[in-house]
Amino acid sequence: MTHDSFLKRMRGYSFVKILLALGLAASTSFLSGCKGANDKDKGDGAPPPAQVIQVADMNLITIDKNDVAKFPLVSAGQVDSASELTATGTVFPDISREVPVISLANGRVVDIKTRLDDNVKKGQLLFRVQSGDVSAAFNAYLKAVNDEQLANKALMRADDLLKHGAISQAMVEQAEDSEKDAKSDLTAAEEQLKVLGVDKDHPNSIVDVFAPISGVIIGQNVTNAAAAGVTLSGSATAFTIADLSTVWILCDVYENDIPKLKLGQEARFKLNAYPDRPLKGHIGDIGPVLDPSLRTAKVRIEVANPGFLKLGMFGTATFTSLKKETHAVVPADAVLHLHDRDWVYLPVGGNQFKRTEVHAGKMLDSNRQEILSGLNPGQQVVTNALLLETAGNQ
């Protein structure tokens, strides 16, 4: 083998080794990539680590240490006062002032003079009924008149005969008894005509029905050509008239608040329709039965109607509790009214203050305000909450 041939062969071996090395490296890289992909798809089952995001307390205010003295503190005082209880209510008629209108004459309605929701006066004509009862009653009346006249003549004749000795005293007494019976029948027949509303001197088959009281017609069960009367089919009550000079307001009061109320206690009522025209009344009844689902009792407030109350109106009744409770009292400036809610600022140490929600009550003397809940007597609050709120927002 010549020197040149040997060099060529060695170069061939080197080239083959290089190719084998490159192929082995490529295979190793492909297998590693496939394993990594399979492991990634399979997963190890562990959840991703939780990320904790810190959220600042929106009610916490930090101010410069040098400005702390600008916001002095005051300790909340206390006051013993009766709390106020509120309940929703609805206007109803006073049942004792409702009167049904009934036609005692049975028949057919031929004319209606009034309608539902009309205001009527006592004695006003409401409707007219054509009744056959009038004919029967007037016929009985005429017979009673004839019988009474005949009995009276018989008594006069008996008296005359007694004077001449033609009859005995017993026969005269019998005639007197017959005459008295005839008078009784005549009186009853006259009263029957009065009950039916018929004038005995001017009989008519048409009976007029009048309003028994003044008020508002809140119920109507009769129309033209309808049946009227207590014995015919249909409702015996043609109209219902209510005297609305005094009305009832029925409220739902929870059973836990019932001990705070008593009969005759004053109540204030504010209508949704007339919030600027509050009314005053008194408790007329506390229902003895609770609603099993709501656990409330019906409390009845009796209110004089100033003229604008309508049945079914809604409103809010306010009662003053019989029991006094101890509440905190702070300066009015210490209460911050924000977003229809009430707040005060409490010191939490150093130069930090925390805004705390409270339930503010009524205003007291010396520019103080009662705190019903959210703050205890003795706790310190910032005297000027609005100033601190403004400083915290800058």
Side-chain angles (χ1 to χ4, degrees):
M1 180 180 299
T2 62
H3 181 69
D4 293 337
S5 299
F6 178 76
L7 290 177
K8 290 180 179 180
R9 181 176 295 179
M10 292 302 296
R11 292 190 185 98
Y13 288 154
S14 299
F15 181 71
V16 171
K17 290 181 180 180
I18 291 172
L19 291 177
L20 290 175
L22 291 175
L24 181 61
S27 299
T28 302
S29 175
F30 174 77
L31 292 175
S32 299
C34 292
K35 182 179 180 180
N38 292 335
D39 290 344
K40 183 176 181 181
D41 292 340
K42 183 177 180 181
D44 55 5
Q51 296 182 357
V52 179
I53 301 176
Q54 299 292 336
V55 178
D57 188 352
M58 301 299 296
N59 293 322
L60 191 64
I61 291 180
T62 302
I63 62 175
D64 190 272
K65 294 182 179 180
N66 297 327
D67 295 334
V68 173
K70 297 180 180 179
F71 306 100
L73 305 177
V74 63
S75 297
Q78 70 178 35
V79 63
D80 295 330
S81 63
S83 61
E84 290 187 343
L85 169 67
T86 59
T88 56
T90 309
V91 179
F92 285 88
D94 186 342
I95 295 179
S96 62
R97 296 173 179 267
E98 290 185 18
V99 178
V101 179
I102 299 174
S103 172
L104 297 180
N106 298 299
R108 178 172 174 266
V109 178
V110 295
D111 190 15
I112 296 180
K113 299 296 184 179
T114 56
R115 294 291 186 271
L116 185 67
D117 296 335
D118 286 352
N119 286 280
V120 296
K121 299 292 183 180
K122 182 177 180 179
Q124 179 178 338
L125 178 62
L126 300 182
F127 62 99
R128 311 182 77 188
V129 178
Q130 186 178 31
S131 174
D133 294 346
V134 176
S135 300
F138 190 69
N139 183 45
Y141 167 73
L142 293 178
K143 288 182 178 181
V145 170
N146 294 333
D147 292 342
E148 194 277 332
Q149 291 177 354
L150 180 61
N152 186 56
K153 291 179 180 180
L155 177 60
M156 293 174 63
R157 187 180 304 111
D159 288 338
D160 185 61
L161 292 174
L162 178 63
K163 291 177 181 179
H164 293 82
I167 60 173
S168 64
Q169 181 65 33
M171 296 182 67
V172 175
E173 292 176 352
Q174 185 178 2
E176 289 178 349
D177 183 66
S178 298
E179 202 275 339
K180 290 180 180 178
D181 290 343
K183 281 188 175 181
S184 297
D185 293 340
L186 178 58
T187 301
E190 290 177 348
E191 289 298 325
Q192 180 64 23
L193 290 177
K194 290 180 181 179
V195 169
L196 294 176
V198 178
D199 184 359
K200 64 180 181 179
D201 297 325
H202 302 87
N204 193 338
S205 62
I206 303 298
V207 178
D208 294 334
V209 181
F210 302 95
I213 63 169
S214 298
V216 179
I217 298 178
I218 63 172
Q220 179 177 347
N221 299 314
V222 68
T223 59
N224 280 321
V230 294
T231 61
L232 297 181
S233 60
S235 175
T237 302
F239 292 100
T240 300
I241 301 177
D243 178 7
L244 300 182
S245 59
T246 299
V247 296
W248 288 355
I249 297 174
L250 298 183
C251 304
D252 293 315
V253 177
Y254 289 101
E255 60 178 321
N256 295 338
D257 295 326
I258 293 177
K260 302 177 182 179
L261 307 177
K262 69 174 182 179
L263 295 178
Q265 182 177 345
E266 184 183 81
R268 301 183 301 277
F269 189 72
K270 184 179 293 185
L271 292 165
N272 293 346
Y274 301 98
D276 56 338
R277 304 174 74 175
L279 304 172
K280 287 186 178 181
H282 65 275
I283 298 177
D285 179 67
I286 300 176
V289 181
L290 294 182
D291 187 308
S293 58
L294 301 177
R295 307 304 302 169
T296 58
K298 292 292 184 182
V299 175
R300 186 178 74 211
I301 305 173
E302 298 178 4
V303 178
N305 187 357
F308 56 84
L309 284 179
K310 298 183 182 299
L311 301 183
M313 278 185 166
F314 285 97
T316 302
T318 303
F319 310 92
T320 301
S321 173
L322 298 177
K323 299 180 180 180
K324 290 188 176 182
E325 300 176 354
T326 300
H327 297 144
V329 178
V330 297
D333 292 339
V335 181
L336 175 67
H337 306 286
L338 185 64
H339 304 308
D340 295 330
R341 299 160 77 178
D342 301 317
W343 310 80
V344 295
Y345 276 101
L346 305 179
V348 293
N351 58 337
Q352 290 186 325
F353 301 89
K354 186 173 184 179
R355 187 173 62 188
T356 303
E357 184 178 1
V358 296
H359 182 196
K362 59 185 178 182
M363 294 294 298
L364 304 176
D365 56 354
S366 302
N367 197 29
R368 299 180 304 161
Q369 188 163 12
E370 182 182 15
I371 304 299
L372 302 179
S373 62
L375 184 69
N376 297 323
Q379 283 188 277
Q380 288 190 322
V381 297
V382 177
T383 56
N384 196 323
L386 180 59
L387 184 63
L388 181 58
E389 174 74 13
T390 305
N393 292 332
Q394 292 179 352

